[in-house]
Amino acid sequence: MPEQAKQELHKDENVWPIYFRLQAEERKVGRWTTLAWSIEDLCLNEKDRPEVELAEMGEGYYMMPLELFRDERMEYRFNLNAQDPHLFFVCAEEDEQLKPVLMTVAQGVAARYMDGDYVVLHIQIPLPIQVWMEAYLGRHGELEECKRRGGGKGKKQKGRSSGN
């Protein structure tokens, strides 16, 4: 998304622009020093966002849209029903710095990025976002898991190990 378009996003029933800062802290693990990344200064309200000039955006300060999709409703419910619901930040590493590429509340989406060259950070979902997600699920209904059997009605399929 072009930088200018990002700045013009406003909260609605599907999208919530969220401001945050990526913070690195050096940690010593045995003889090695590594960077531990965290999400800081999370701001949910455009009016209360940190006073950061546009030139400073990208230098640790970011704004990303949290977008909800109808085909991920089952994952949203799973996350909201968890004891500790999470907001996931998918980041790419460039020159020992992290740059966010996606924000999601769908654990399955975040998990797909963990298999690649991405770093996935997470924080507890703030209560206002949980309420917004519940309202979204109320408007669009719950997506129920469909259990499918083989290829069709009454048709038994043989597995590869059946010997037939």
Side-chain angles (χ1 to χ4, degrees):
M1 182 176 285
E3 196 67 32
Q4 186 178 15
K6 283 184 180 180
Q7 302 306 321
E8 296 174 10
L9 283 177
H10 296 286
K11 181 182 170 216
D12 63 25
E13 69 177 38
N14 299 323
V15 178
W16 189 328
I18 297 176
Y19 297 83
F20 61 96
R21 182 169 56 99
L22 280 174
Q23 177 68 40
E25 179 182 317
E26 280 192 11
R27 292 210 178 137
K28 195 161 181 132
V29 180
R31 291 189 276 174
W32 308 103
T33 303
T34 186
L35 290 177
W37 291 90
S38 62
I39 303 296
E40 304 289 332
D41 301 333
L42 191 73
C43 179
L44 304 178
N45 188 342
E46 293 175 37
K47 296 173 195 139
D48 297 333
R49 73 177 184 241
E51 292 304 317
V52 177
E53 298 295 323
L54 291 180
E56 293 179 22
M57 292 295 271
E59 295 184 23
Y61 291 92
Y62 298 93
M63 185 283 292
M64 291 203 70
L66 174 59
E67 189 168 1
L68 300 180
F69 300 96
R70 286 186 182 190
D71 61 340
E72 295 176 351
R73 288 175 288 172
M74 190 169 48
E75 291 198 49
Y76 303 155
R77 174 55 57 209
F78 178 77
N79 195 357
L80 287 170
N81 287 345
Q83 187 171 353
D84 188 22
H86 284 93
L87 174 59
F88 300 96
F89 297 80
V90 178
C91 303
E93 190 171 351
E94 296 176 6
D95 301 323
E96 296 186 15
Q97 295 294 315
L98 288 187
K99 181 177 181 182
V101 293
L102 176 72
M103 184 184 321
T104 183
V105 286
Q107 185 174 356
V109 172
R112 286 192 292 271
Y113 283 91
M114 294 175 99
D115 294 338
D117 293 329
Y118 293 92
V119 174
V120 178
L121 304 173
H122 60 88
I123 61 170
Q124 186 172 14
I125 299 177
L127 192 55
I129 293 177
Q130 290 182 41
V131 171
W132 176 69
M133 290 171 63
E134 287 286 356
Y136 180 87
L137 292 173
R139 276 190 304 277
H140 299 292
E142 302 281 333
L143 186 65
E144 293 186 24
E145 186 174 7
C146 298
K147 294 184 179 178
R148 291 175 42 187
R149 287 188 178 184
K153 291 183 179 179
K155 198 183 219 184
K156 284 193 175 182
Q157 289 189 336
K158 298 177 182 173
R160 290 195 316 182
S161 64
S162 68
N164 294 335

